[in-house]
Amino acid sequence: MLRSIDRRPGWVIAAAMLVVALPVQAAELSLADKVDLLIAAYPDSLLKSQDGTIRFRDGGSLPVDDGKAKDHAGKLASGDIEDSLSQIYPAGPCETTLDVNFDPGRIRSDALMMRLYGASAREVEASLVDVDWFGKTLRVTKRQGAAAALEKVRDALKEMPDLKPFLSPSAGTFNWRKVAGAPNMSVHSFGAAIDINTKYADYWIWSGGKPGRVPHYRNRYPMKIVDAFERHGFIWGGRWYHYDTMHFEYRPELLAIARVAGGDACR
């Protein structure tokens, strides 16, 4: 008898399996559960967790927790894997109330990102491919399925032509650099992020924000755009207290964790 093949991304399948196995709320999801979903989200690179580390398919490992106590600023500046998974991302076609320093996904492990995508501009560039974005060619990494996922986002958004003015021209993808005014790397460095049309963008620094003082949040992008990105593994900078509404980055582990943990923006 022929069996149907499940062609969903690995992170979607893993999340669905854990929903059955772990009928829990966000507060009950353990670090070990989150790490399992992280590993499932990047099957080309991550092998398993072992003795407090994540093992890579090409050899080597990284500790999940560096053992250092950090405040929010410290997590942003030098986050480890545990820090990067510490806040549950709220997904869905609804806007959310932004609590102080709630930045799910803005906290990242540079060491992990470099292992997933490349540790230098040259290494990242070797994996960039062309993606058509509403008539403009963008360079996006093919690693971890990021470029293929962005093409799925584009195809979904093409079904809603009224949204094109918000999407194009894109403000860019690959750009090896640090986050503005910060010591950590931008996900644009890895070719795994896209900024859409800046005409409608709201960004906490552009609005006059400084560390410790974030201006009032505003969003001018339709939530249909956010929903399309999230359904294909991209998180939105408009979910951050330090908001960046034009920004989307490929972080399928956070969407998988959200599905299991009940991170629903519409509740």
Side-chain angles (χ1 to χ4, degrees):
M1 186 173 100
L2 294 175
R3 294 175 180 263
S4 62
I5 300 173
D6 195 332
R7 299 189 183 278
R8 293 174 295 173
W11 63 271
V12 174
I13 297 170
M17 293 173 65
L18 276 177
V19 166
V20 175
L22 299 167
V24 297
Q25 297 302 310
E28 299 170 339
L29 193 62
S30 70
L31 177 58
D33 295 330
K34 294 177 185 178
V35 169
D36 285 344
L37 286 164
L38 170 68
I39 292 168
Y42 301 104
D44 292 343
S45 295
L46 305 186
L47 179 61
K48 62 181 178 179
S49 61
Q50 183 178 28
D51 300 326
T53 69
I54 288 181
R55 310 287 297 184
F56 293 88
R57 292 191 179 277
D58 62 357
S61 64
L62 278 177
V64 172
D65 187 350
D66 61 15
K68 298 177 182 178
K70 309 182 191 82
D71 60 10
H72 187 68
K75 290 180 180 181
L76 290 172
S78 57
D80 58 20
I81 293 170
E82 184 271 334
D83 295 328
S84 75
L85 305 178
S86 61
Q87 295 180 332
I88 302 297
Y89 181 88
C94 302
E95 293 195 57
T96 47
T97 302
L98 304 174
D99 294 334
V100 174
N101 288 339
F102 183 68
D103 291 325
R106 190 167 176 256
I107 301 170
R108 313 177 190 97
S109 164
D110 280 355
L112 176 61
M113 297 298 284
M114 288 182 178
R115 288 299 303 264
L116 293 175
Y117 295 108
S120 68
R122 176 178 289 186
E123 190 176 348
V124 174
E125 285 184 293
S127 295
L128 297 179
V129 295
D130 290 344
V131 171
D132 175 75
W133 186 258
F134 299 93
K136 181 178 179 181
T137 299
L138 304 179
R139 295 198 299 164
V140 182
T141 183
K142 65 183 179 181
R143 291 195 185 188
Q144 317 307 334
L150 186 61
E151 289 175 335
K152 290 179 181 178
V153 174
R154 176 205 62 207
D155 293 345
L157 291 171
K158 278 185 174 179
E159 299 298 317
M160 297 173 275
D162 57 310
L163 299 179
K164 183 178 178 181
F166 298 95
L167 302 165
S168 181
S170 163
T173 49
F174 171 68
N175 183 6
W176 183 266
R177 63 174 175 82
K178 295 183 182 297
V179 174
N184 56 310
M185 299 298 291
S186 166
V187 177
H188 286 285
S189 301
F190 307 111
I194 179 174
D195 290 340
I196 56 178
N197 191 349
T198 58
K199 180 180 178 180
Y200 303 96
D202 292 282
Y203 178 41
W204 72 284
I205 293 179
W206 291 354
S207 298
K210 297 179 180 179
R213 183 172 65 83
V214 175
H216 182 70
Y217 171 81
R218 183 170 73 151
N219 169 49
R220 290 176 285 167
Y221 295 107
M223 293 305 294
K224 289 180 181 179
I225 293 174
V226 176
D227 186 47
F229 272 97
E230 289 179 344
R231 282 188 285 111
H232 296 289
F234 288 81
I235 64 168
W236 178 42
R239 302 278 190 208
W240 300 338
Y241 175 68
H242 296 85
Y243 55 87
D244 186 359
T245 62
M246 65 182 167
H247 178 83
F248 295 87
E249 62 186 65
Y250 188 63
R251 300 289 296 285
E253 76 277 17
L254 297 184
L255 276 303
I257 289 169
R259 284 170 172 79
V260 176
D264 187 343
C266 296
R267 285 186 180 177

